[in-house]
């Protein structure tokens, strides 16, 4: 696999995994780490950037969600949105540190947009959470080498 394809594929997988679409990027990152031949720092940076930008899509959707949340094609159920909103109200912006967690993370980033979380704090908290997750995945994968 060429480096461009590996890094590009990882970016796309990480981006998709952070949106409300069902996708997963950790296994790809772990596979690329175990395979070797790629810059570990660049793999982590590409995965983090893709995942944060995917979360930014959710935040942007959240800013407009009132117009779309009742549409049949909308990917989050009213119940999932209500749970994420309750979580967000209870813990505030710090709940975004859990944006990496499957099932709750994506709706949290959408709710952050709905509740008008400032972009600077959104990107900082989500970026830190995603970076730490990919660092942990890479470290775990390296332990198998």
């Amino acid at each position: 696999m060429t480096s461009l394809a590996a890094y590009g594929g990882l970016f796309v997988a990480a981006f998709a995994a952070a949106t409300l679409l069902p996708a997963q990027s950790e296994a790809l990152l772990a596979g690329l780490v175990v395979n070797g031949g790629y810059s570990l720092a660049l793999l982590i940076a590409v995965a983090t950037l893709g995942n944060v930008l995917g979360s930014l899509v959710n935040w942007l959707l959240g800013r407009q969600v009132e117009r779309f949340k009742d549409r049949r094609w909308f990917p989050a159920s009213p119940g999932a949105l209500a749970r994420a909103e309750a979580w967000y109200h209870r813990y505030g912006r710090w709940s975004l540190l859990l944006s990496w967690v499957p099932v709750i993370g994506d709706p949290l980033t959408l709710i952050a947009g709905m509740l008008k979380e400032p972009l600077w704090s959104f990107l900082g908290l989500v970026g830190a959470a995603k970076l730490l997750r990919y660092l942990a995945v890479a470290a775990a994968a390296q332990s198998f080498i």
Side-chain angles (χ1 to χ4, degrees), residues 10-77:
L10 180 59
F11 178 86
V12 169
F15 183 92
T19 64
L20 296 174
L21 300 172
Q24 205 254 8
S25 60
E26 293 83 3
L28 179 56
L29 174 62
L32 291 171
V33 169
V34 169
N35 183 43
Y38 303 103
S39 163
L40 183 60
L42 189 54
L43 286 173
I44 292 168
V46 165
T48 301
L49 179 64
N51 215 239
V52 170
L53 290 176
S55 292
L56 180 59
V57 168
N58 292 344
W59 183 84
L60 291 168
L61 283 172
R63 304 286 284 192
Q64 303 298 318
V65 79
E66 291 301 318
R67 295 180 1 195
F68 300 113
K69 71 179 182 181
D70 295 327
R71 303 274 170 95
R72 183 191 217 127
W73 52 262
F74 193 73
S77 70

Side-chain angles (χ1 to χ4, degrees), residues 38-127:
Y38 303 103
S39 163
L40 183 60
L42 189 54
L43 286 173
I44 292 168
V46 165
T48 301
L49 179 64
N51 215 239
V52 170
L53 290 176
S55 292
L56 180 59
V57 168
N58 292 344
W59 183 84
L60 291 168
L61 283 172
R63 304 286 284 192
Q64 303 298 318
V65 79
E66 291 301 318
R67 295 180 1 195
F68 300 113
K69 71 179 182 181
D70 295 327
R71 303 274 170 95
R72 183 191 217 127
W73 52 262
F74 193 73
S77 70
L81 288 176
R83 283 189 300 278
E85 188 171 351
W87 182 279
Y88 198 84
H89 278 302
R90 183 172 182 186
Y91 298 105
R93 69 174 40 132
W94 299 107
S95 64
L96 290 172
L97 291 172
L98 297 175
S99 61
W100 63 272
V101 176
V103 180
I104 66 165
D106 298 339
L108 274 175
T109 59
L110 185 85
I111 296 299
M114 283 177 61
L115 298 177
K116 311 291 192 252
E117 180 65 37
L119 182 59
W120 65 269
S121 59
F122 175 84
L123 290 175
L125 291 167
V126 170

